[in-house]
Amino acid sequence: ETGVTQSPTHLIKTRGQQVTLRCSSQSGHNTVSWYQQALGQGPQFIFQYYREEENGRGNFPPRFSGLQFPNYSSELNVNALELDDSALYLCASSLPGTYGYTFGSGTRLTVV
Amino acid sequence: AQSVTQLGSHVSVSEGALVLLRCNYSSSVPPYLFWYVQYPNQGLQLLLKYTSAATLVKGINGFEAEFKKSETSFHLTKPSAHMSDAAEYFCAVSDKNNDMRFGAGTRLTVKP
């Protein structure tokens, strides 16, 4: 049992559309990070949120944005979808003062 | 900036043989190091982590890893491979802010 729930599990979108992916973390997990994992590659860091504010960002364009809510849920929004955005998107959260993340099972996004 | 390099994108062993997956890190600050396992169509599961305590770290499913600062390595080992160990393995490094970066992964195949 991971304690981190992501929805939906699979999603198909058309190029140019917008998508919102959701994540529900365990109570008390006030740090959440999102990762993009393309097929056959390692997870790439998109951004981190801490106490509802962006706390670090990887090499992703501004059309990737996020939100973190007081109830330990979070969202990843992607605008103007491109074919290369097709990937598994992973949400990961952690408790204060701990190192390492608990990961969700991911959302598989396919852009056609 | 922190990074990890996993040597060997694919490792194949016989059931009962030693498993050795290699990881070297680069970090300007004392690193926190992790090994995660990913089964097909699933998220990442933490195997073990090094957080500046004992240099030999024992994890789940019989895996262990040794932090060697002089070699900037954190190789993962298991004395005897089992068929159920077949999966993708990721080494990761983070700082105290949980800014975690992953390697490209090593696919472990176990032959009967």
Side-chain angles (χ1 to χ4, degrees):
Chain A
E1 184 179 7
T2 68
V4 178
T5 304
Q6 292 187 242
S7 62
T9 55
H10 295 81
L11 197 55
I12 299 175
K13 288 286 191 177
T14 303
R15 187 172 50 182
Q17 286 188 315
Q18 177 267 342
V19 69
T20 297
L21 309 182
R22 294 182 171 81
C23 174
S24 178
S25 302
Q26 291 176 283
S27 178
H29 283 216
N30 59 5
T31 300
V32 64
S33 289
W34 284 87
Y35 290 83
Q36 180 196 66
Q37 186 180 19
L39 201 60
Q41 298 183 23
Q44 299 295 310
F45 174 68
I46 302 175
F47 44 59
Q48 181 191 85
Y49 276 78
Y50 173 68
R51 291 185 175 179
E52 302 163 46
E53 293 196 4
E54 188 175 297
N55 191 45
R57 190 175 185 91
N59 190 26
F60 281 81
R63 60 189 185 84
F64 285 78
S65 63
L67 286 171
Q68 186 185 25
F69 302 100
N71 65 353
Y72 307 107
S73 65
S74 60
E75 292 180 353
L76 165 65
N77 299 288
V78 187
N79 294 321
L81 283 167
E82 301 176 0
L83 297 180
D84 285 348
D85 296 333
S86 295
L88 180 67
Y89 288 85
L90 296 165
C91 170
S93 67
S94 68
L95 281 166
T98 63
Y99 300 104
Y101 286 108
T102 300
F103 279 81
S105 297
T107 294
R108 173 75 62 188
L109 173 65
T110 302
V111 182
V112 296
Chain B
Q2 310 162 99
S3 65
V4 292
T5 301
Q6 292 183 241
L7 303 176
S9 59
H10 188 199
V11 170
S12 181
V13 301
S14 297
E15 190 173 20
L18 171 71
V19 175
L20 171 61
L21 304 183
R22 301 177 186 272
C23 173
N24 287 90
Y25 70 90
S26 174
S27 178
S28 59
V29 296
Y32 301 107
L33 294 160
F34 308 83
W35 277 98
Y36 283 86
V37 62
Q38 186 176 37
Y39 297 99
N41 300 312
Q42 294 188 26
L44 302 175
Q45 180 184 6
L46 180 66
L47 281 176
L48 49 80
K49 63 181 177 182
Y50 167 77
T51 57
S52 74
T55 56
L56 181 62
V57 181
K58 295 187 183 298
I60 62 172
N61 301 337
F63 285 95
E64 63 181 37
E66 186 172 8
F67 172 70
K68 292 187 176 181
K69 184 177 180 179
S70 61
E71 299 178 8
T72 61
S73 68
F74 191 59
H75 301 330
L76 181 70
T77 60
K78 181 174 180 178
S80 177
H82 191 272
M83 296 297 290
S84 61
D85 294 328
E88 189 86 20
Y89 291 80
F90 293 97
C91 180
V93 62
S94 79
D95 60 15
K96 63 180 181 179
N97 295 318
N98 251 345
D99 180 354
M100 184 177 288
R101 307 301 171 112
F102 286 84
T106 297
R107 180 170 299 277
L108 176 65
T109 301
V110 182
K111 299 175 291 185

